[in-house]
Amino acid sequence: MSNGSKDLRLHNTLTRTKEDFVPIDPDNVRMYVCGPTVYDFAHIGNARPAIVFDVLYRLLRQLYGADHVTYVRNITDVDDKINARALRDFPELPLNEAIGKVTKKTADQYHKDVAELGTLPPTFEPHATEFVQPRTDGKADMISLIQRLIERGHAYEAAGEVLFDTGSMPDYGQLSKRNLDEQQAGARIAVDAHKKNPGDFVLWKLSSPEEPGWDSPWGRGRPGWHIECSAMSAAYLGEVFDIHGGGLDLIFPHHENEIAQSRCAHGTDVMANYWMHNGFLQVEGRKMSKSEGNFVTINELLETEKFGGRKWPGDVLRLAMLMTHYREPIDFSVRKLEEAENTLRKWKRAADMAPVDAEPVPAGIVEALCDDLATSAAFQLMSHLAGQAAGDEDEKAAAALKSAMVFLGFELQVAEVDKEAIAKAIAERLALIAAKDWASADRIRAELLEQGVQLKDGKDPATGERVTTWEVKR
């Protein structure tokens, strides 16, 4: 258990206010976060919810105990984009086999990528395809939920589809604060004449012989987009749970429609008590898109030189993402990554002085995060500890910083230095000194010191020429 406070306050999208967090059951705090649709490698925008809700997961474990938090993040492996990718990449294979290849490869890469970002695996990671039809273990499934919605008068069959009747739910739109009259189509289809209301959305649609499908009371077909999360959250967390998270772009229609399905199927006032959404992401000041030429995947950042002409360590990406408050828009840039890398170098050098014995996570770090995940305040304290440790060689401050870094998912090892780059910088500095450009020479020395590299000037005893050596400053 934490030595910090349990006075956790979270911004609830449902009420648009910051509220005290009171779990339904402190012995089993329950959180659901919408995971990836595995048709392609995850992009840097997908990394933000993975990292943000990992921090919340870590905080909840700290406050309530690791064995008292259940975190569910789904894998969407049934989607028309997946079908199209399977047909494109594996035209020679039967569709179901091709789909399996696409989703396994993509899901495996997602797990590898987010692990590099320092995220813990969720408690459960259900795949949508496992929850379409009734299960032998009695867990909630999509077909049973749809049947219940029809029985309760909240869904209807039309033109080979089953649709949710938004008109049957008087307070539909509470999360997005949209009135029914303002609604646009809530499903991945156009507004059609067979809908009772323009905002009605698909629960089940028929599949052609060339499309994947499951047997159902309404014919061979496949589920709509939203029903999977209603089924999987109920399967692992119950009809009402504590926290539901995801990106801001999911508020409408996805989360709004999840709420509608779940509440109407179960007859509850809420689906989850707290709804949390991370803000949008831009890349170098522009919306990320392939047409803009600034679309970048997590894997490309980690493994290629596509962004900024170099590879970026996972913990640098993690810190850069968390330097902006999770609800604010973030501008993901090379400059931000460089700033994060310099900060991490200072932290790691200071933490490296810590004794082996573990220290409790500093109460100030926990208290900062308890204020709606105020990561900036937590990082200010960590930088203060790093300065204290480096300036006074304070082992206690170093140990506190070390425990905070472990708690927040950062690597502790000091990154290996680039000896070739250091040699090049030293040669450039010596040339500047020879040209009597002292200001530029001092700038190079300062830049290397910022990276933890201390230069030492001396003279060759035989020639009397300046000789510069270096060491890593711990």
Side-chain angles (χ1 to χ4, degrees):
M1 301 297 284
S2 167
N3 60 346
S5 168
K6 284 191 187 180
D7 296 331
L8 174 59
R9 288 176 60 77
L10 300 172
H11 185 272
N12 190 350
T13 307
L14 194 62
T15 61
R16 302 297 197 270
T17 59
K18 194 187 294 187
E19 300 176 3
D20 292 334
F21 175 70
V22 181
I24 298 167
D25 177 5
D27 288 330
N28 184 18
V29 181
R30 290 165 283 164
M31 177 170 71
Y32 186 93
V33 176
C34 289
T37 300
V38 287
Y39 70 94
D40 202 355
F41 285 10
H43 57 71
I44 191 59
N46 301 137
R48 195 173 193 191
I51 293 170
V52 164
F53 291 103
D54 177 72
V55 171
L56 180 56
Y57 181 39
R58 289 169 181 270
L59 178 60
L60 292 171
R61 285 160 56 99
Q62 182 74 11
L63 295 175
Y64 294 94
D67 296 332
H68 299 288
V69 182
T70 303
Y71 173 22
V72 179
R73 184 182 66 208
N74 71 299
I75 293 283
T76 297
D77 57 350
V78 52
D79 183 89
D80 289 348
K81 290 180 181 178
I82 294 173
N83 306 341
R85 183 61 57 94
L87 289 169
R88 187 197 75 180
D89 292 354
F90 303 101
E92 74 284 359
L93 295 178
L95 182 58
N96 283 351
E97 189 177 337
I99 287 171
K101 278 187 171 292
V102 169
T103 57
K104 184 179 188 309
K105 176 185 177 183
T106 311
D108 287 349
Q109 187 64 54
Y110 177 78
H111 292 142
K112 182 174 181 294
D113 290 344
V114 295
E116 287 288 326
L117 299 175
T119 67
L120 299 171
T123 317
F124 300 106
E125 193 175 50
H127 287 56
T129 50
E130 300 168 356
F131 288 81
V132 177
Q133 295 179 306
R135 296 169 55 93
T136 56
D137 61 6
K139 289 186 182 297
D141 66 273
M142 300 180 213
I143 287 177
S144 297
L145 275 178
I146 295 170
Q147 286 177 308
R148 192 180 304 177
L149 287 167
I150 293 173
E151 291 166 3
R152 294 190 171 202
H154 295 292
Y156 59 95
E157 294 181 64
E161 297 175 340
V162 181
L163 296 135
F164 183 88
D165 183 0
T166 52
S168 72
M169 185 181 184
D171 58 352
Y172 177 81
Q174 279 191 331
L175 184 69
S176 60
K177 309 301 184 204
R178 298 184 182 204
N179 297 322
L180 260 180
D181 293 342
E182 301 169 349
Q183 300 295 356
Q184 300 300 315
R188 294 170 178 169
I189 58 171
V191 177
D192 293 315
H194 64 276
K195 291 185 175 186
K196 291 183 179 180
N197 311 287
D200 292 355
F201 57 89
V202 172
L203 300 172
W204 190 264
K205 51 190 172 183
L206 296 182
S207 295
S208 69
E210 295 77 31
E211 292 173 322
W214 290 261
D215 292 332
S216 81
W218 319 286
R220 181 180 174 276
R222 59 201 191 280
W225 176 22
H226 318 296
I227 194 68
E228 65 180 82
C229 290
S230 287
M232 290 185 283
S233 62
Y236 288 99
L237 303 177
E239 295 179 358
V240 178
F241 51 94
D242 295 303
I243 299 169
H244 194 311
L248 200 64
D249 56 316
L250 296 181
I251 292 176
F252 185 87
H254 186 48
H255 287 170
E256 193 73 81
N257 292 345
E258 277 188 56
I259 291 172
Q261 295 162 164
S262 295
R263 285 183 54 198
C264 290
H266 303 309
T268 57
D269 292 332
V270 294
M271 177 187 182
N273 286 333
Y274 304 86
W275 288 79
M276 298 177 65
H277 295 91
N278 61 268
F280 291 117
L281 177 140
Q282 291 185 320
V283 176
E284 298 288 1
R286 296 176 297 150
K287 181 179 178 180
M288 183 176 65
S289 69
K290 290 181 179 177
S291 62
E292 287 277 355
N294 64 350
F295 186 91
V296 61
T297 67
I298 304 170
N299 183 253
E300 286 172 333
L301 288 164
L302 292 168
E303 302 294 342
T304 76
E305 297 180 355
K306 177 178 179 177
F307 196 71
R310 52 163 292 190
K311 299 177 184 179
W312 298 96
D315 58 352
V316 170
L317 301 176
R318 182 181 181 88
L319 180 57
M321 197 70 77
L322 293 172
M323 285 161 59
T324 301
H325 189 267
Y326 79 93
R327 289 195 294 112
E328 299 298 323
I330 186 172
D331 185 18
F332 199 79
S333 64
V334 172
R335 182 177 178 181
K336 183 175 284 289
L337 290 173
E338 290 171 343
E339 181 185 349
E341 188 167 50
N342 286 334
T343 298
L344 275 171
R345 281 199 193 98
K346 294 174 184 175
W347 290 358
K348 290 178 182 182
R349 289 200 304 271
D352 198 43
M353 298 187 295
V356 177
D357 295 341
E359 285 281 326
V361 179
I365 300 292
V366 177
E367 288 165 8
L369 295 176
C370 279
D371 182 15
D372 195 33
L373 304 187
T375 47
S376 292
F379 295 159
Q380 285 176 7
L381 178 55
M382 290 168 70
S383 291
H384 174 75
L385 289 170
Q388 194 176 343
D392 303 330
E393 297 188 356
D394 184 339
E395 287 191 352
K396 191 169 182 61
L401 174 63
K402 184 177 181 179
S403 66
M405 291 182 68
V406 171
F407 168 50
L408 284 168
F410 294 111
E411 292 283 344
L412 287 174
Q413 295 82 6
V414 177
E416 290 187 13
V417 295
D418 186 339
K419 296 180 181 179
E420 189 176 325
I422 294 171
K424 184 178 177 182
I426 288 174
E428 183 182 349
R429 177 173 173 269
L430 289 174
L432 290 167
I433 290 172
K436 300 190 185 308
D437 186 350
W438 307 110
S440 297
D442 287 345
R443 176 182 52 78
I444 290 176
R445 173 191 279 275
E447 287 174 354
L448 288 173
L449 187 60
E450 184 76 11
Q451 298 171 28
V453 177
Q454 176 77 60
L455 298 186
K456 294 183 177 181
D457 290 322
K459 287 187 178 181
D460 184 316
T463 64
E465 292 183 357
R466 181 188 293 267
V467 174
T468 302
T469 59
W470 59 271
E471 66 178 11
V472 176
K473 184 175 181 293
R474 300 292 184 184

